[in-house]
Amino acid sequence: MSTKGRSLVAMTGLLVLLVGCGKGCGKKAGEQSAAPVTPAALAAAPLAAAGPALRDDPAPLPEGIKRGDTCTLPLWLSTPALGTAPTVVTGDLAGFAGDFQPVEGSGASVWGGRDAFYRIDLQAGDSYRFALRAKSGTLGLFGVRACAAPEQGLLFGETAGKAVFYTATEDGPIWLGVDAKGDYTAAGSYELEVFRLPSPGAGASGPAGAGSAGGSDLCDKAPPLVPGKRMMGNSKGATTQVTEPFKGSGLSWAGPDHFFTLAVKKGATYQLELDTLGQFAGGLYLLADCGQVAGSALAETAASSPLVWTSDRDGTVVVGVDSSGQGAGGAYQLAVLERPAK
């Protein structure tokens, strides 16, 4: 599989996780002192349980062939519902027959080892995070649109341990291949995680109990946050960018914003946590109202730290999800916990 191997190696590094945060990361200007709130908000707002990881393929298997040995007879991944926990499948390439997609010169390929193929049916606009974790062996994950020629038209390729973010550009299936580095006997065991992300512009709707599928580009259209629920959104392509720095801020907030509202009570402490899923560097801020989107923040923090704030008022405040890079955005999860006033 030299062509596929070269493509996989060439693609390595293109789809890396973006970690860290912007200028002033970790500095929380304007944050009031408060005792820590536990447990962590994201842990306290679990996603709905995932459905069955695999579904049956009605196609009969030729004698001696195992499901997943070839691209044409793959294991079928169930298409996860938005707002459900990641689907995880486990496998061991030692149980597969070998390299079923040889090409000229494949004997020299560093990715000439055994393969396991999965199929997942997508609709245009569906966004996913695929993550391969190797338990043994040196493994890689690649995605293709054309099963008949998997070495051609590679959608992505990444080594185990690095997540792949993919948004479908058309309706139809794609195939995921787990491959081993080495000769045709190379193998390894693994976990493959599939997590469906909210798509850009999904709007403020989502499955019951999973919270919102996105904040609003416009502050005056912001949907409410609900303590104890995890909210999901995607700020890629958001139209609102508050480029003016907040008064006294030590953070860089040049990127697109998504807005939520939060009903607060005087004396209550709120902990908000943002997980940017490795797609962008950013953070959270609180504003008194939509008329102060370029004014002083009540509190702010980079995504690497929770935002903990004790309210000095009764009413509603604005929560902003922001990116530190101009034009940079992506999928995220946001959760809030409330500790009542004593």
Side-chain angles (χ1 to χ4, degrees):
M1 292 192 300
S2 60
T3 305
K4 184 188 72 182
R6 288 193 294 269
S7 298
L8 181 60
V9 173
M11 288 293 290
T12 300
L14 292 180
L15 297 165
V16 297
L17 286 174
L18 304 175
V19 295
C21 50
K23 180 181 177 182
C25 178
K27 184 176 180 180
K28 300 182 280 297
E31 180 177 312
Q32 297 187 17
S33 298
V37 179
T38 55
L42 288 172
L47 291 166
L54 299 171
R55 64 187 182 92
D56 291 336
D57 183 348
L61 285 171
E63 185 177 354
I65 298 297
K66 181 178 178 179
R67 188 78 65 193
D69 274 348
T70 72
C71 190
T72 54
L73 295 168
L75 293 155
W76 281 38
L77 287 164
S78 299
T79 304
L82 183 63
T84 56
T87 292
V88 179
V89 294
T90 60
D92 190 334
L93 294 181
F96 290 88
D99 183 353
F100 279 84
Q101 298 295 331
V103 294
E104 185 178 354
S106 62
S109 171
V110 296
W111 295 98
R114 299 172 186 268
D115 304 79
F117 289 94
Y118 296 86
R119 168 179 168 158
I120 183 168
D121 294 331
L122 306 179
Q123 292 184 330
D126 284 355
S127 295
Y128 281 84
R129 182 185 67 196
F130 302 116
L132 179 69
R133 294 184 287 271
K135 294 182 177 180
S136 63
T138 303
L139 307 180
L141 178 69
F142 61 93
V144 296
R145 172 69 70 178
C147 179
E151 295 86 357
Q152 301 175 17
L154 193 69
L155 296 172
F156 53 80
E158 191 56 275
T159 53
K162 295 182 179 180
V164 171
F165 295 94
Y166 175 74
T167 299
T169 57
E170 59 185 272
D171 295 345
I174 67 169
W175 285 264
L176 306 176
V178 178
D179 201 358
K181 185 177 181 180
D183 63 18
Y184 70 95
T185 64
S189 57
Y190 60 88
E191 290 182 341
L192 174 60
E193 180 181 286
V194 179
F195 184 31
R196 186 173 177 184
L197 307 175
S199 300
S205 62
S212 170
S216 173
D217 286 4
L218 303 177
C219 186
D220 58 0
K221 303 292 184 182
L225 282 170
V226 180
K229 285 190 177 181
R230 184 193 309 241
M231 317 297 276
M232 302 175 67
N234 194 324
S235 61
K236 187 175 183 179
T239 58
T240 302
Q241 288 195 169
V242 181
T243 56
E244 299 88 347
F246 294 126
K247 183 179 179 181
S249 175
L251 298 167
S252 176
W253 302 109
D257 305 74
H258 260 186
F259 297 101
F260 296 88
T261 59
L262 177 64
V264 296
K265 301 171 186 176
K266 187 174 181 178
T269 298
Y270 299 88
Q271 176 169 316
L272 295 93
E273 291 190 8
L274 175 68
D275 183 354
T276 62
L277 301 170
Q279 292 207 280
F280 63 97
L284 294 170
Y285 58 83
L286 293 181
L287 299 176
D289 56 60
C290 286
Q292 301 183 43
V293 292
S296 299
L298 298 171
E300 60 179 356
T301 184
S304 55
S305 301
L307 189 158
V308 180
W309 177 71
T310 300
S311 179
D312 59 356
R313 66 198 70 197
D314 291 317
T316 301
V317 296
V318 173
V319 179
V321 175
D322 206 349
S323 168
S324 65
Q326 190 164 1
Y332 61 85
Q333 299 180 88
L334 174 62
V336 57
L337 278 181
E338 176 185 352
R339 187 177 65 190
K342 295 182 179 178

